Amino acid sequence: MKTTILGLKGRILTHGPNEERGFALCVGLVLAGGVIWLARSPLVHPDWVLAALAGWGLMWIIGPLTQAGAHGGVLRTEWFRLLPARPREVARAWLPSEFAGVGPLVTLIALAAIVVYAAPAGGLAVAVAVVAVAGQLAVLVLLSKTMVLLIGGVMRTRFGVEVAAFQMSLMLAIAFAGWIPFAAPVVPGPGQRGAPFDLLALAKSGLPAGVVDVLTWSPVGWGMGAARAAVAGDLGGAAVFLALLVVLAVALAALWRVLMVRRLSLPPSRPVAATGGGREPYLASILGRSPVGAVAARELITWRRDPARALELRHGLLTPALMGVIAGLSGWTWALPSVGALIAMFAAMASVNLYALDGTALWQTLLTPRAIRADVRGRQLAWGLLFAVPALVWTVVSLPLTGAWWAGPVAVGAAVAGLGVGAGMIVLLGVTMPAVGMDARHRTELGQRAGDPSGQQMLLWIAVGAACAAPSLLLLLVGGDPSSWLHQLVASALIAAAGVWLPGRIAIVRLTRGGDEFLLALRSGPATAAQKARDAWRKALTQARAKTS
Amino acid sequence: MNALEFTGLTKRFGDKLAVDGVDLRVPAGSFYGVVGPNGAGKTTTLTMGVGLLRPTSGGSRVFGVDVWERREEAMELLGVLPDSMSVPERLTGRELLRYIGRLRGLDRRVVAERSEELLDVLGLAGDERTLVVDYSTGMRKKILLATALLHGPRVLVLDEPFEAVDPVSGATIRGILNDFVAGGGSVVLSSHVMALVENLCDRVAIVHAGRVVADGTLDEVRADGSLEDRFIDLVGAERVAVRTLSWLGER
């Protein structure tokens, strides 16, 4: 049965869709190459290899949290429930397949850095490093898979949404603002100069001893710990680390098996949406008197109850807020008023795929007289209430708190223009470039395929970013004063009004004229959309060949 | 006057001809059944007929109003229950009705009263906190029927309205639809349950491989036999030749 399950997973992986896996493989290989380079480079202290591998290990633990557990895996337990085999046997046969996939492969390559690090110290150190790599890989994969089983139930709850949202927002904030703590000492404020930054010295000097101890004695650092002990000639120390790895791997495998047997023994059930209907939000009840208000009210409720949207709502607000916290803690308090403009950018990115998320529910809008305009404008209104209000409040309140009054006009102008254009672009891109996933009626929980709008998000990032800069650029162009409150307010209000109205108008016309085709695309689902793209590509290739021959 | 009129409706998906020149006339006040095997083109025909899918050729009118040319007018007259489509899933049944009512610009009090009655009659009043996404297939059919009825349409187009609906609710829905027709409304429904169509409808069309192979009053279509016999005759007798599995039952 072992080979059958492993073969089944291999077959599913090769059938695809493999776009995401291919991307993950490419990124993973580049990162793994980077870790190996750290281990080889004489300019880099081995502490940084330890830190990189610890970070890598942390991703295995964070992964199940951000993926929101649910049905993360390729294989589903319900496929095996009716087999005439005991859950214990199925679990035993299942275990090897957990090591098949892109994640374990690129991790293995990254961990090879341990062997590269130990190589100059001779054969014994290399032997220790090879065992350490195997042990570390087993610990990371098993730790992650055990976490998936442990938190699978938790992630279906409201609490799970909060945890997943915070984790992802924190990672995004670090990705976008992680450079600020390094830059802040060099440039404490606009026009000021601080201490010079020396990357080379930092790379050579290693990490503080306390940090190294914590990393080495945490399970993500045991592999590197064993290799460092072996390189230093401390074989006893190396043996202790290897023994720790083996004991933890065996213990985790046992725990995984217990949890898996329990999962396999549970009766199958259709998951129920995490957030049940309750009282209508007050705002929704007073909004819903006109058709536009009815749509806005529907949107406010859906933002609250649809777990995919609830997650995006939090990303849109939390990521810029956490970026502000990073900047503030680094001493860049003067940058805090710009968080309003960042909210415009992140909120637009978080909301680009609303039409695809709501899926075939569009039919009701198409069959209701005058509902298309109400749908587009109502979505914009709800978006404004959810994102524009907090963004503007943050911007205004941050001015007296930070004392950065000089930044006020530019920050407010950027936020107003960015929010206006964001409110327009989300509906325009929503109806012209939907990333179709599982239809709304089948999406009961997080982690189900909801379409991947990464490309559209990149586009919005640029468009809304440009809109934030637009009022100041426009004022410079027409001879206005970007530091004047009046000039900024007038310029940004004009841009915002055009930004809300025009793309919204185009979306309304597009839905009125081609709503049926859009509905057909939403009905076709992701598989057919991918199929169509492939067919179009093949057709183009054939035509190109015919032309050249 | 025809409540609904399809003329030469044709739909081609790539190389596949899904619907091939369907002509259908639904007289006002009639209860019209469209029957056919799975994949015959019933859903595609009805989806085109109500203006949710653009036909490759042909047209559709509701009381003489073209659904593509004078869309808004046609939509006022129609109530639709489509198959396999979402609604705003994160609303409860009552919230969905309130939303649809307000979207249509109906008076608040009217929406509240009709919603109350629809939820009560269709047996959904006890599920106040359940979101539509968590509804069973039968409950989903019932709430969709409620949204189709809410604004008091003159023509109802219902795709498989009785699928997965329990017998008690099924009887209720039959009662509602019969009252609707008795009051001058017109109903078109699709189904592959012959007995149901035979009990409810006064006119029938049999659709097979994208074409209408028979239509008329129930008596005209079924001639001397039952609707099922006639259906099997038209759709192909070879389909029902009894075949068995050689290995099943061996011990």
Side-chain angles (χ1 to χ4, degrees):
Chain A
M1 199 194 310
K2 246 178 219 170
T3 49
T4 312
I5 294 184
L6 197 59
L8 176 66
K9 183 162 180 182
R11 190 62 65 89
I12 295 171
L13 287 177
T14 48
H15 279 316
N18 282 327
E19 290 84 0
E20 273 177 42
R21 282 187 202 108
F23 180 71
L25 181 66
C26 293
V27 173
L29 286 177
V30 169
L31 291 177
V35 180
I36 292 175
W37 178 82
L38 287 180
R40 272 188 59 129
S41 172
L43 298 174
V44 180
H45 194 278
D47 283 355
W48 292 104
V49 182
L50 174 69
L53 288 176
W56 199 290
L58 212 60
M59 292 306 289
W60 274 98
I61 300 166
I62 292 174
L65 294 171
T66 52
Q67 281 172 15
H71 287 310
V74 171
L75 302 177
R76 303 274 181 86
T77 45
E78 54 265 33
W79 299 346
F80 302 92
R81 281 206 184 95
L82 293 178
L83 277 184
R86 284 184 302 175
R88 191 188 297 262
E89 293 167 37
V90 178
R92 196 178 303 136
W94 185 304
L95 188 57
S97 75
E98 295 285 37
F99 287 85
V102 169
L105 178 69
V106 292
T107 304
L108 179 65
I109 296 169
L111 287 171
I114 298 177
V115 181
V116 172
Y117 162 74
L124 203 58
V126 169
V128 168
V130 168
V131 180
V133 168
Q136 190 73 70
L137 181 69
V139 163
L140 291 181
V141 174
L142 288 168
L143 194 59
S144 179
K145 301 297 177 181
T146 307
M147 292 240 337
V148 170
L149 290 175
L150 268 177
I151 63 173
V154 179
M155 297 314 284
R156 290 179 201 176
T157 62
R158 196 85 215 170
F159 175 70
V161 175
E162 304 298 345
V163 172
F166 186 77
Q167 297 269 358
M168 192 65 196
S169 301
L170 186 63
M171 288 208 309
L172 282 172
I174 290 172
F176 282 99
W179 54 275
I180 294 179
F182 298 97
V186 186
V187 186
Q192 298 172 359
R193 293 188 76 175
F197 179 63
D198 189 349
L199 183 68
L200 212 62
L202 197 69
K204 269 194 173 163
S205 66
L207 293 162
V211 176
V212 174
D213 283 347
V214 169
L215 292 182
T216 309
W217 287 105
S218 68
V220 289
W222 291 348
M224 190 59 190
R228 287 184 94 167
V231 168
D234 176 12
L235 287 181
V240 169
F241 280 116
L242 293 183
L244 280 173
L245 282 173
V246 172
V247 169
L248 183 58
V250 170
L252 283 172
L255 179 59
W256 178 91
R257 198 174 291 173
V258 169
L259 293 170
M260 193 56 160
V261 167
R262 204 166 65 184
R263 171 76 69 96
L264 284 163
S265 314
L266 285 174
S269 64
R270 184 178 188 271
V272 169
T275 43
R279 277 167 58 92
E280 193 177 27
Y282 173 70
L283 203 55
S285 66
I286 56 164
L287 270 177
R289 298 194 178 155
S290 68
V292 173
V295 174
R298 177 204 77 192
E299 286 291 293
L300 289 179
I301 295 174
T302 308
W303 275 108
R304 200 161 89 163
R305 293 185 192 156
D306 181 345
R309 283 217 212 182
L311 194 65
E312 295 294 351
L313 173 68
R314 282 154 184 76
H315 287 167
L317 292 172
L318 258 180
T319 309
L322 289 170
M323 285 167 76
V325 169
I326 292 174
L329 291 178
S330 309
W332 272 15
T333 48
W334 55 268
L336 290 180
S338 65
V339 167
L342 286 175
I343 290 179
M345 296 167 77
F346 279 92
M349 282 166 71
S351 321
V352 68
N353 209 27
L354 296 186
Y355 274 95
L357 271 181
D358 295 346
T360 54
L362 181 72
W363 73 269
Q364 228 157 19
T365 307
L366 297 180
L367 288 192
T368 306
R370 297 167 297 280
I372 290 174
R373 184 189 160 274
D375 194 77
V376 169
R377 298 305 183 195
R379 281 175 195 266
Q380 290 183 309
L381 175 58
W383 190 86
L385 290 170
L386 286 172
F387 294 107
V389 172
L392 291 175
V393 168
W394 174 300
T395 309
V396 171
V397 169
S398 69
L399 293 178
L401 288 182
T402 61
W405 288 103
W406 55 269
V410 176
V412 170
V416 169
L419 289 163
V421 172
M425 291 302 284
I426 55 160
V427 287
L428 180 60
L429 288 190
V431 300
T432 50
M433 300 172 72
V436 182
M438 191 179 267
D439 199 16
R441 66 188 189 283
H442 300 305
R443 273 192 308 107
T444 47
E445 57 184 310
L446 273 178
Q448 291 169 320
R449 292 188 60 204
D452 177 14
S454 311
Q456 293 87 314
Q457 287 177 329
M458 290 299 292
L459 205 62
L460 259 188
W461 176 255
I462 296 166
V464 179
C468 291
S472 298
L473 291 177
L474 185 73
L475 286 172
L476 287 175
L477 209 67
V478 300
D481 177 11
S483 61
S484 148
W485 277 102
L486 181 67
H487 287 193
Q488 279 283 356
L489 284 177
V490 171
S492 61
L494 286 175
I495 293 171
V500 172
W501 181 79
L502 186 65
R505 183 72 212 142
I506 300 171
I508 292 167
V509 171
R510 159 112 179 107
L511 281 177
T512 307
R513 293 194 185 150
D516 56 307
E517 281 166 30
F518 184 45
L519 180 66
L520 187 64
L522 294 172
R523 278 172 75 190
S524 305
T528 323
Q531 186 81 41
K532 272 183 195 157
R534 259 198 298 277
D535 289 350
W537 176 239
R538 277 200 196 119
K539 201 171 160 190
L541 270 183
T542 321
Q543 281 172 351
R545 270 194 212 124
K547 268 187 192 163
T548 49
S549 65
Chain B
M1 184 79 170
N2 288 321
L4 199 60
E5 189 175 343
F6 302 163
T7 43
L9 276 183
T10 302
K11 186 69 192 179
R12 189 178 279 282
F13 294 106
D15 299 334
K16 193 180 174 237
L17 191 60
V19 175
D20 184 9
V22 165
D23 290 306
L24 219 59
R25 274 163 199 81
V26 179
S30 64
F31 205 139
Y32 207 106
V34 179
V35 296
N38 296 331
K42 304 187 291 289
T43 294
T44 309
T45 302
L46 294 184
T47 314
M48 282 191 289
V50 299
L52 278 179
L53 178 67
R54 202 171 289 268
T56 309
S57 61
S60 168
R61 288 166 185 273
V62 188
F63 284 104
V65 179
D66 191 297
V67 298
W68 296 102
E69 303 284 322
R70 290 156 65 196
R71 198 176 174 80
E72 311 253 294
E73 280 175 72
M75 295 315 147
E76 298 280 8
L77 302 168
L78 272 176
V80 179
L81 185 164
D83 193 32
S84 307
M85 293 224 209
S86 297
V87 288
E89 297 285 329
R90 305 286 158 174
L91 305 184
T92 63
R94 188 181 298 275
E95 286 169 347
L96 179 63
L97 291 175
R98 192 186 297 148
Y99 160 66
I100 295 291
R102 290 173 182 175
L103 191 63
R104 283 193 172 268
L106 300 178
D107 181 73
R108 282 179 77 199
R109 216 168 327 145
V110 172
V111 175
E113 283 168 12
R114 289 186 186 175
S115 301
E116 189 67 52
E117 207 177 337
L118 281 164
L119 292 170
D120 187 39
V121 169
L122 290 168
L124 294 169
D127 300 287
E128 284 289 343
R129 287 179 62 83
T130 309
L131 304 184
V132 176
V133 72
D134 290 330
Y135 272 18
S136 67
T137 312
M139 288 165 80
R140 183 175 282 275
K141 289 280 178 192
K142 290 193 278 183
I143 195 69
L144 277 169
L145 179 66
T147 63
L149 289 166
L150 187 67
H151 62 288
R154 288 178 65 192
V155 185
L156 278 174
V157 179
L158 316 171
D159 197 358
E160 302 281 2
F162 293 95
E163 193 183 37
V165 172
D166 65 83
V168 177
S169 301
T172 310
I173 294 175
R174 282 197 296 275
I176 293 172
L177 296 181
N178 279 327
D179 284 353
F180 180 76
V181 173
S186 317
V187 177
V188 181
L189 66 79
S190 76
S191 177
H192 46 244
V193 182
M194 299 302 142
L196 184 110
V197 172
E198 214 162 2
N199 274 332
L200 271 179
C201 302
D202 49 41
R203 301 184 78 89
V204 185
I206 299 179
V207 179
H208 177 47
R211 289 161 173 245
V212 175
V213 290
D215 74 313
T217 63
L218 185 63
D219 289 333
E220 282 167 8
V221 171
R222 67 183 165 187
D224 296 330
S226 70
L227 185 61
E228 187 155 343
D229 291 338
R230 179 80 171 127
F231 178 82
I232 290 167
D233 282 348
L234 287 166
V235 168
E238 75 279 5
R239 282 169 174 265
V240 289
V242 180
R243 297 178 64 185
T244 57
L245 296 168
S246 59
W247 45 269
L248 203 61
E250 283 175 12
R251 283 285 180 271

